[in-house]
């Protein structure tokens, strides 16, 4: 049976109006009834890439904290933005002035593991900010041979149940799913600073 590698989605209607730091954001989450810690006991393997150096920035974005789900405080979004502003990777990171759906706790990054705990081959790794990772270019990449049918099939193993559950895949990242439309999120929810 395949396991899902995930950062659980946090849904919240009430978040702090303005937290000064990542530590403030995490303290809020620890005290809030609106968020739930996800552990291996919940049947998921947690691989919080932004809590390690195994991500496109090569830097642990959170430090020695326990991170919950797919929520990324806007304070971290500013760090990511400064790393990519003015580079070709800029299109893959939301401007923190507008905010990422991750900053609202309504986005999740995930992949699928096989029965031996190995990630399925998706054609690229997580945080591979290249055209090959873009779902909108899959037909083109399949036709050119840059993406194999097996890799596309693996992406669909992930994508189909997520879409059936109502999530929308991000056109630029096969691993990213939004729980709600960005415009709706920005109108109805408060960003986590």
């Amino acid at each position: 049976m395949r396991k899902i590698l995930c950062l659980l989605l946090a849904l919240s209607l009430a978040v702090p109006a303005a937290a000064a730091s990542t530590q403030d954001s995490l303290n809020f989450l620890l005290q809030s009834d609106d968020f739930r810690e996800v552990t291996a006991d919940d049947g998921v393997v947690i691989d919080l890439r932004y809590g390690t150096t195994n991500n496109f920035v090569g830097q642990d974005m959170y430090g020695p904290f326990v991170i919950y789900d797919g929520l990324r405080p806007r304070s971290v979004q500013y760090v990511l933005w400064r790393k990519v502003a003015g580079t070709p990777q800029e299109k893959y990171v939301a401007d923190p002035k507008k905010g990422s759906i991750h900053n609202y706790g309504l986005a999740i990054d995930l992949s699928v593991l096989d029965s031996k705990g190995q990630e399925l081959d998706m054609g690229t790794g997580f945080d591979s900010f290249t055209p090959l990772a873009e779902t909108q270019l899959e037909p083109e990449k399949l036709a050119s041979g840059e993406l194999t049918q097996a890799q596309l099939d693996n992406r669909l193993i992930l994508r189909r149940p997520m879409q059936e559950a109502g999530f929308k895949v991000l056109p630029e990242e096969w691993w990213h799913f939004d729980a709600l439309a960005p415009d709706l999120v920005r109108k109805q929810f408060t960003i986590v600073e």
Side-chain angles (χ1 to χ4, degrees):
M1 180 169 188
R2 298 186 191 276
K3 297 178 183 177
I4 297 200
L5 165 72
C6 77
L7 309 174
L8 183 68
L9 172 67
L11 299 172
S12 175
L13 297 174
V15 295
S21 69
T22 301
Q23 182 63 54
D24 291 337
S25 298
L26 293 173
N27 287 340
F28 169 79
L29 295 173
L30 290 170
Q31 297 169 8
S32 174
D33 291 333
D34 294 324
F35 296 91
R36 178 177 178 273
E37 181 177 6
V38 177
T39 68
D41 293 338
D42 295 307
V44 298
V45 175
I46 300 172
D47 185 6
L48 299 170
R49 297 286 178 97
Y50 292 169
T52 71
T53 58
N54 185 15
N55 59 61
F56 81 99
V57 177
Q59 174 183 342
D60 182 340
M61 303 302 297
Y62 295 106
F65 302 130
V66 176
I67 308 301
Y68 298 95
D69 40 80
L71 175 72
R72 179 186 311 138
R74 183 158 47 181
S75 59
V76 172
Q77 194 72 24
Y78 276 106
V79 175
L80 294 174
W81 182 251
R82 285 192 295 270
K83 292 281 187 179
V84 301
T87 73
Q89 293 179 328
E90 182 177 320
K91 80 174 196 169
Y92 298 103
V93 177
D95 184 335
K97 291 176 187 168
K98 187 175 183 181
S100 165
I101 303 308
H102 279 290
N103 304 148
Y104 294 86
L106 292 161
I108 185 168
D109 294 335
L110 68 162
S111 187
V112 179
L113 300 177
D114 65 18
S115 61
K116 296 177 183 173
Q118 300 298 309
E119 288 185 43
L120 295 183
D121 181 359
M122 302 292 191
T124 73
F126 170 74
D127 266 0
S128 173
F129 297 128
T130 65
L132 189 56
E134 296 187 28
T135 61
Q136 62 194 355
L137 299 178
E138 288 170 346
E140 173 187 320
K141 299 301 180 183
L142 185 62
S144 71
E146 295 171 82
L147 186 66
T148 69
Q149 186 62 54
Q151 292 164 335
L152 179 57
D153 290 344
N154 288 341
R155 291 181 183 191
L156 295 176
I157 288 170
L158 170 64
R159 189 174 310 145
R160 284 185 183 127
M162 293 299 291
Q163 289 176 323
E164 287 172 10
F167 288 84
K168 308 287 186 260
V169 67
L170 196 68
E172 294 82 17
E173 302 169 358
W174 60 259
W175 58 84
H176 178 110
F177 295 84
D178 290 338
L180 299 168
D183 289 345
L184 180 65
V185 170
R186 290 184 177 103
K187 286 178 186 173
Q188 295 188 1
F189 295 88
T190 304
I191 201 165
V192 174
E193 297 294 337

